Every structure is written in C-alpha cells, then in structure tokens.
Amino acid sequence: MTAEGRTIQNSAKITLALCFLLALMEGFDLQSMGVAAPMMREAFHLEPNQLGMAFSAATLGTLPGALLAGKMADLYGRKPILIVNTILFGLMSVLTAHAASFPLLLGARFLTGLGLGGALPILITMATEAVSPKWRGTAVSVMYCGVPAGGILTSVVAISMAKQFGWQSIFYVGGFAPLLLLPVIWLFLPESKAYLQSKLEAEQRKYSIPHILFGEGRLFGSLQLWVSFFCTLIVLYVLLNWLPTLFANQNFSREEINYVQIGFNVGGVLGTLLLGLLLDKLNIKAVVVMIYVGMLAALYALSEGSSLSALVAATTACGIFIIGGQGALYALAGMFYPAAIRGTGVGTAVAVGCAGSFAGPILAGLILGAGQSSGAVITAAIPVIAIAFISAFTLVLRFSRTKSQ
C-alpha cells in the first residue's frame, strides 16, 4: 500500500472511531429518558399521556435539528456543524437533570433533541464519505452500532448509579461525556474529503431543496425512503422509550426491566454490525426482506411473551432487526444521495423519520391511557412495520435497477 493509501485508511479509521463515540453518546441520551421514566414518573407525578409528551419532546426537537444541520453541513462543512450540535445536546442533557417542573422538563428535552437530531445525519454522512462505495453499508453500521451500545450504557448507569444518586445521575453522565469528548473531536476528526472535493461544485451550483430531494430522478426514491424511515422509527421509538414502562406495568422488578432493555440494545449492536455487513456483501433486496420479516416475527414474539426469559429473547430479536434494520436504512440513505447534497438529503430523511419517532411514543401513551395492555401497543406496531417493508422493498427494487443500468 502506498503512503497516500495508508493516510486515507488511517483517516477513515479515525473518522469511524470518533463518529462511533459520538453515536455512543447520542444513543445514551436517546434512551436516558426511557430508562429514567419510571423514577421520573414518581418524582413529577406524571400520567401516561404526560410521560408520552416527555418522551416525544426530544424527538420533536430532532426534526428541525436534522433539517437545519443537514443543509448547514453541505454549506459550511460536516465537522463544525457536528461540534455545535454536540455542545447543544450535551448542555441540554445536563439541564434536564435540573428541571424543576414539567414544562421545564419538556423544554430541556426539546433542545436536547435539537442537538441529537442535528448530529445524527452528519454522523451518517461522515461515515458514508470516509470509505469507498463498496464498504459504505459496513461503515455506517459500525458508526450506528454506537447508538444501541450507548443504550446498554444507559441501563448500566441506571443499575449502578440511579438508586444511590437519583435519576438525575443518568442525565449528568449523558451530558458531560460528549462535552468532555469535544476537544478530541476538534483536534483529531478530519473534515470529510468528499465534502472538500465537492465544495467548489456546491458553490458554483446553488442547489434548491426541491432539486436536492426530487431533481434528477430522485422523487420516487426520496418518497419511499421517507415512508420507510417514518414507519420504522415509529416502532423503534415506542420500544426505546416505552419498554421499561410497559414491563413495569406487568409487575417485573426494576432490575429485571433493565435486563430486558439491555437485551434490546445488545441485539441492536449485533444486528447493526451484521446487517450492515450483509448490505455490502449480499443482494440488497434479500437483506431488506430478511430485515422486515425479522422485525415482524420479533414483534409477534414480544406481544406473546410472558416470562422474563421469553421477553429478553424477544427484545433481543427486536434489537437485531429493528435497531439493526434502521441502521441499514441510514446506510441506504447515504448511498442514495451524491456527496454535494448528501447532508441535506440524509438530514431530510432523518427529519421525516423524526416525525415518526415523535408520533410513536405519543400513540403508545394514548393506547395505554385508554386502558389497553402493553401487548396492545406491540400488536399495533405490526401493521406499521408492514407498510415500512413495502416502501423499503420498492425503494431497493428501483435502486438496484438504476445501479445495473
């Protein structure tokens, strides 16, 4: 290998390692509310619908965050916009621990989501652009598996610290960790070479948002990508936010519930890595079928499970296929849009998905508030995943034909 080749390879490794660490922090913050919810419900005397609002405040913030950050990253660079969003979600997570009322809690979670939503599409974009096209699915999956790994850490912190130091300790860890990582990001994270190479073209040719999303034959693909993101993230965020509360209602202990949450995230790490690798190695249509059939089977098993061992197995399978499947969708989004507009394209897809992640926890709260069981929440997710399957499969059919031409 030439010296230039080794430099490129080292740059890619550094980019993926640092993006993984930031995704780890993002995953911790995304699931901190779900893990802390049973304790916070007692502290704030929250009804199920209020708990749903608290969950959805952060995901509501991710929508404008993803839209704004994606466009800004195309205009001003991936690295500086990523740093700004990391500062925002770190500070707001710390502020969550100091929320003295329900309205302040909602505000802190919204601003946390604004930073989280802005960081994610940039992480996807930088991972996509760090490697050659044949490894993009694997690269995005390596980065994205930090999200469920962060969820595992959230449960570990809840088990080891929350009982002694209170629910606030979860948000202190989630806030200070990314802030302490910032100097390393500033010094060592390289700017995306694909962005630097496309910068002159982007300056010469001002892309409008409609052109980015729908021009040059992208209308069909963008719409299908949005539907699959929206529906899959409805279900993913129901599970991310409501799993502990759902099983607390079934008289499992807090420690047992943490094991269920850990199983979900361990499955997410394994599924994200495996499905991303398969995306690069196997027929893309076969991988999409495997992902969504696995989601449907896992959700059915979760709705039928009653013992702790059955629920841990079902949630692990949900993690493999739902978290891992969403990671594969992120990789597809990164492949679909060219470098000069990738930040905006991926950011918009993430933003549309965020609308689903906002709606999911609220719908779950309404179902439970109407007196339905936790099994009814899981059962309601099955047709939503079926719609996501149809859209994702239609997308890859068109994508495969385009690539073969």
Side-chain angles (χ1 to χ4, degrees), residues 14 37 49 56 63 79 144 186-187 227 234 296 306 318 324 359 370:
I14 292 169
N49 62 327
S56 291
L63 199 158
K79 181 176 175 177
Y144 187 69
W186 179 266
L187 292 172
V227 173
I234 282 179
L296 292 168
S306 55
C318 284

Side-chain angles (χ1 to χ4, degrees), residues 167-248:
W167 59 266
Q168 294 90 341
S169 61
I170 298 171
F171 295 100
Y172 283 133
V173 173
F176 285 121
L179 295 176
L180 292 173
L181 187 64
L182 279 172
V184 179
I185 301 297
W186 179 266
L187 292 172
F188 298 107
L189 180 66
E191 181 57 274
S192 163
K193 286 185 170 58
Y195 165 74
L196 294 173
Q197 290 167 0
S198 66
K199 186 177 180 182
L200 179 60
E201 178 188 355
E203 288 174 348
Q204 291 172 339
R205 200 172 148 203
K206 297 296 182 182
Y207 296 105
S208 67
I209 298 292
H211 174 81
I212 290 170
L213 302 176
F214 309 128
E216 300 175 17
R218 286 187 289 270
L219 171 63
F220 178 86
S222 289
L223 293 177
Q224 297 302 322
L225 197 63
W226 294 354
V227 173
S228 56
F229 267 52
F230 181 83
C231 292
T232 305
L233 282 168
I234 282 179
V235 178
L236 175 56
Y237 272 74
V238 166
L239 297 180
L240 285 176
N241 287 292
W242 278 101
L243 265 180
T245 305
L246 289 176
F247 296 117

Side-chain angles (χ1 to χ4, degrees), residues 252-306:
F252 288 102
S253 70
R254 193 165 288 170
E255 185 179 34
E256 289 172 329
I257 293 167
N258 280 320
Y259 289 128
V260 171
Q261 188 87 357
I262 288 171
F264 182 57
N265 287 292
V266 168
V269 172
L270 296 174
T272 300
L273 289 173
L274 176 62
L275 295 173
L277 183 62
L278 292 178
L279 204 61
D280 288 330
K281 296 296 183 183
L282 298 182
N283 181 286
I284 193 170
K285 296 188 290 294
V287 176
V288 167
V289 171
M290 181 194 310
I291 288 169
Y292 281 99
V293 170
M295 286 186 195
L296 292 168
L299 286 170
Y300 177 77
L302 186 61
S303 69
E304 294 295 314
S306 55

